[in-house]
Amino acid sequence: MLKQPDPTLHKTTRTEITSLFGDAKLVLDETPKAISPFGGLASFISFLGQIGFTQQVQHSLPFAEPTSNNAIPLAHSLTAFLMSVVVGAQRFAHCEWLRADRVLHALLGMDRFPSDDTIRNFFLRFSQAHVEAFWRPLWRWLLWLLRCPSGGFALDLDSTVFCREGQQEGARKGFNPRRKGRNSHHPLLAVLAEAQFILHGWLRSGNTGASRGVVPFLQEALALLPEGTWLRTVRADSGFFDGNFLDFLEESALPYVVVARLTTTLKRKCAGIQEWTPMDEHHAAGEFTVKLFGWSKERRFVVVRERIRETKAAVGRTLIDVPGYTFRVWVTNRSQGALELWRDYNGRACVEQRIEELKHDLAADGFCLQPFFATESAFLAVLFTFNLLSLYQHQTTPDAPYRQPGTLRVAVFLCGAVLGVMGRDVVVKLSAAWGGLRKHKPLVAATLDWLKCASPKLIPPEDRLAIRGGMI
């Protein structure tokens, strides 16, 4: 006996629901039109086209393209992953969100959107040699597009913890303040503070210390910088308080401010300071020089003492010998006074924000594979996405305050769009309720006005970029 069709699935049967507030009846229906919630990505995709994203990725790929007629180009797989991260994917499986988004496919020029398995297989191709051959040239290209401020960049170093639930390569037990005793990876990051730009990143085993490998890491980071881009200072927390690291900074002629780890010797020196210079009614500054055990020379230490108050939480460490105060101590080779160094170092707090954005807005810790270098390549792809979003903001809204990736997603990229045809033209119609052309046309126009596309002779001297050895 034939099974009777479910009457609720009959095309002539209406499906109704009641509104949550009130008793209004709503009829559910479907449309064959292609609709997307991410029509606002049009300006970002236009920006990628203007800077030559496709050509750079295809030129840098260290793999031969698949020969099957049914294969998806490798550049499409990477682009699909980047777009998935931009719209909020937190796992590889979430990349499936965009497979049905034909509006986005049209904006990207993709006939087929790769599956999550195809994207995983793309990253599984990577070995350590492939990571170096692919990602380092792409980073140099992005840095070539970055404007160097007249005063130079502040380079901030920091590390973080990515919790892991399995037995992936490199996942080891180490410092993990939130989930003690669990496996983790321990990435190391270098951030250009003024540009909100990740200069360099390493994915490391979870049992490494904060400063493990920091000298070769910084050597690689400095090698990425184009000529004409310079660093005004290097800032780091007490995890990088290491004599060999400071020796390297001094040999490289790099000014630095590094938080000192309060050893017994330094505590005794802080307690013995006799001359304090008041900075305000609650703060005073002092300094001393000392050569610690194992160091090659004595160095300058700057101390800020803060009075403990009930109305405000004091930042720093307390000393038994000096009750009523907290102390913050830095080692530096800079000649400025304590107040200027203190204020400058406080700007390093932005690196913590960048790390939180990477983890919470772009899920940098969510894309994990069994092989270590596949996971590192996915991690670098997220950092690369962050840098693209940062450059996009610098180009489209240069005078507006920096917006976090999550804010950018909600404020700009979320916009209803319908795919249609007008004559022979494919048309993407943006919802007026979400801002429509009034909101997004200026952003697209700003991407088309990309400064690098102009002839150097047509760029005013005050706007020229310091690139590759001089002003262009």
Side-chain angles (χ1 to χ4, degrees), residues 65 112 120 235 388 423 454:
E65 286 289 349
R112 293 187 302 146
R120 286 191 190 93
R235 303 181 295 199
L388 287 173

Side-chain angles (χ1 to χ4, degrees), residues 101-116:
D101 194 333
R102 289 191 285 138
V103 178
L104 182 61
H105 302 175
L107 289 171
L108 294 172
M110 292 184 183
D111 296 329
R112 293 187 302 146
F113 198 86
S115 67
D116 58 329

Side-chain angles (χ1 to χ4, degrees), residues 309-325:
R309 291 162 282 167
E310 294 183 358
T311 57
K312 182 180 180 299
V315 178
R317 298 283 300 275
T318 58
L319 300 181
I320 296 177
D321 297 334
V322 190
Y325 295 94

